[in-house]
């Protein structure tokens, strides 16, 4: 790895109690370029703009995918990644679906650890605090030709993060728009998936909702995801979540919630979740909770579901009775080294990792 440290670090101006998530970037980034059929050297360089043309194929034809993951700091200042091997596997799954070259495990994991290590002072410590990390791959060839590109960039950038949603939100169950279709790219973290979701979400917001629960494209009778999150439903004391498919993203937080629930002895059923069954459970009083999970938000508890012009209010459970909040605490305690990690998910980032490698 080639390392070029910033000569003008901004860390001295960073206020961990007053910053904007997603707009505040750490001092360094990782980049690596692909050309002539191979990846070049991985470089850790000062964060900043890169020279690209409007004719860049990633912009024109959508060959772009990314990951979302986090680093955490414990009370002793130790830094941890969380299940990074899952993100490595998934970014390559996305790259393959978009006809882009895969990255090696060495590129991905060493790049992550080097970046997190050199900018560990940017990782805020405290409840809900972390460093959000964005690995991405995109086509950089300058050509207005609708074909597979010949040049790409792998990059990793990061931004300090704090709690996403602090209050329960209302979501609209979509009966027209869909996030993904059979045979499409729903199981990839393709950049275009998010662009296509913005307009339906805008419409839902105009109706008084914060997000959408996406339903299947053919019948709109089954839950798929919620916004940019995987979705969970609790009926009585059983948790239901849709199975992953070519339309549903294999979320790392989703898988973690499933394993944590089973570890607690909570019954989890991974099966199609019908809108009809959820509405019926609301009517008969057995619908206890609906929530979304994802890397950025961790858990977003829903307070109401909008369906066919009706707003279905959900019970307000105390934290100790909520599966969503209980499992969230279990997860965050592992991530932040506040509890034992029986799954081996936590990965320590050693100090001066590149010097000791």
């Amino acid at each position: 790895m080639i390392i070029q440290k910033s000569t003008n670090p901004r860390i001295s101006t960073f206020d961990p109690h007053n910053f904007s998530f997603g707009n505040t970037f750490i001092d360094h980034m990782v980049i690596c370029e692909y050309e002539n059929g191979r990846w070049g050297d991985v470089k850790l360089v000062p964060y900043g703009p890169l020279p690209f043309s409007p004719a860049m194929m990633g912009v024109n034809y959508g060959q772009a995918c990314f990951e979302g993951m986090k680093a955490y700091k414990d009370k002793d200042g130790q830094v941890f990644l969380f299940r990074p091997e899952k993100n490595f596997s998934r970014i390559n799954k996305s790259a393959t679906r978009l006809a882009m070259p895969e990255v090696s495990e060495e590129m991905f994991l060493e790049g992550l650890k080097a970046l997190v290590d050199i900018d560990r002072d940017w990782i805020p410590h405290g409840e809900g605090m972390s460093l959000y990390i964005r690995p991405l791959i995109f086509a950089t060839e300058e050509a207005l030709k609708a074909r597979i590109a010949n040049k790409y960039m792998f990059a990793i950038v990061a931004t300090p993060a704090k709690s996403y949603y602090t209050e329960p939100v209302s979501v609209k169950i979509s009966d027209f728009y869909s996030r993904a279709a059979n045979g499409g790219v729903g199981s990839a973290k393709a950049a275009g998936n998010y662009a296509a979701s913005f307009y339906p979400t805008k419409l839902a917001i105009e109706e008084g909702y914060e997000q959408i629960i996406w339903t299947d494209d053919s019948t709109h009778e089954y839950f798929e995801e919620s916004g940019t999150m995987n979705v969970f439903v609790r009926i009585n004391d059983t948790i239901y979540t849709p199975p992953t498919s070519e339309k549903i993203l294999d979320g790392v937080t989703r898988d973690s919630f499933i394993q944590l629930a089973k570890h607690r002895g909570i019954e989890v059923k991974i099966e199609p979740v019908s809108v009809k069954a959820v509405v019926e459970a609301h009517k008969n009083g057995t619908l206890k909770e609906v929530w979304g999970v994802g890397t950025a938000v961790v858990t977003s508890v829903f307070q109401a579901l909008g369906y066919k012009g009706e707003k279905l209010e959900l019970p307000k459970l105390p934290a100790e009775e909520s599966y969503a909040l209980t499992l969230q605490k279990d997860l965050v305690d592992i991530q932040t080294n506040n509890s034992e990690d029986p799954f081996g998910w936590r990965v320590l980032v050693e100090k001066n990792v590149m010097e000791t490698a």
Side-chain angles (χ1 to χ4, degrees), residues 69-75 77-83 116 120 123-126 128-133 161 253 294-296 298 331-337 346-349:
M69 53 195 306
K70 285 181 176 180
Y72 304 85
K73 184 177 285 182
D74 71 8
K75 64 182 185 301
Q78 296 185 105
V79 172
F80 299 90
L81 295 171
F82 181 72
R83 307 188 75 182
V116 169
R120 62 175 57 231
I123 306 173
H125 168 67
M129 309 291 259
S130 61
L131 182 72
Y132 183 84
I133 308 168
T253 309
T295 298
V298 184
L331 179 65
V332 172
D333 282 349
I334 291 175
Q335 291 171 330
T336 55
N337 198 27
R346 206 165 46 223
V347 177
L348 176 67
V349 178

Side-chain angles (χ1 to χ4, degrees), residues 1 5 24 52 58 74 115 167 208 211 213 299 326 328 333:
M1 178 181 291
K5 292 186 178 181
T24 303
F52 292 120
D74 71 8
L115 180 63
E167 299 294 333
Q211 261 301 350
I213 291 182
T299 307
T326 297
Q328 173 184 266
D333 282 349

Side-chain angles (χ1 to χ4, degrees), residues 160-176:
K162 46 194 170 184
S163 295
Y164 217 76
Y165 296 116
T166 56
E167 299 294 333
V169 298
S170 297
V171 295
K172 180 184 177 182
I173 299 174
S174 176
D175 56 5
F176 180 76

Side-chain angles (χ1 to χ4, degrees), residues 203-218:
L203 296 180
I205 290 171
E206 290 172 355
E207 292 182 39
Y209 298 95
E210 284 89 1
Q211 261 301 350
I212 287 179
I213 291 182
W214 303 106
T215 52
D216 67 289
D217 64 297
S218 55

Side-chain angles (χ1 to χ4, degrees), residues 82-230:
F82 181 72
R83 307 188 75 182
E85 76 286 347
K86 296 281 286 184
N87 298 97
F88 163 69
S89 174
R90 194 171 62 182
I91 199 170
N92 279 336
K93 180 180 178 181
S94 298
T96 297
R97 179 62 183 84
L98 296 172
M100 299 192 295
E102 294 186 3
V103 297
S104 71
E105 187 171 15
E106 182 181 21
M107 286 171 59
F108 189 87
L109 295 180
E110 286 194 4
L112 273 174
K113 290 179 179 179
L115 180 63
V116 169
D117 177 38
I118 198 170
D119 279 341
R120 62 175 57 231
D121 289 344
W122 281 90
I123 306 173
H125 168 67
E127 185 176 354
M129 309 291 259
S130 61
L131 182 72
Y132 183 84
I133 308 168
R134 172 58 57 86
L136 62 159
I137 306 172
F138 53 96
T140 58
E141 183 181 355
E142 185 179 7
L144 298 181
K145 298 178 181 180
R147 58 160 170 77
I148 296 172
N150 293 312
K151 296 181 182 180
Y152 299 88
M153 178 170 283
F154 167 65
I156 309 175
V157 295
T159 175
K162 46 194 170 184
S163 295
Y164 217 76
Y165 296 116
T166 56
E167 299 294 333
V169 298
S170 297
V171 295
K172 180 184 177 182
I173 299 174
S174 176
D175 56 5
F176 180 76
Y177 292 102
S178 295
R179 174 185 172 274
N182 287 313
V185 294
S187 62
K189 277 188 80 72
N193 288 348
Y194 297 81
S197 74
F198 294 156
Y199 178 69
T201 303
K202 174 179 176 288
L203 296 180
I205 290 171
E206 290 172 355
E207 292 182 39
Y209 298 95
E210 284 89 1
Q211 261 301 350
I212 287 179
I213 291 182
W214 303 106
T215 52
D216 67 289
D217 64 297
S218 55
T219 68
H220 296 288
E221 292 178 359
Y222 293 92
F223 281 19
E224 290 196 335
E225 293 190 10
S226 178
T228 59
M229 304 174 289
N230 292 111

Side-chain angles (χ1 to χ4, degrees), residues 255-277:
D255 180 73
S256 302
F257 261 65
I258 291 169
Q259 293 196 50
L260 287 165
K262 291 180 177 179
H263 188 69
R264 276 188 169 269
I266 298 171
E267 184 177 15
V268 181
K269 292 189 177 182
I270 303 172
E271 62 186 38
V273 178
S274 76
V275 176
K276 182 179 179 181

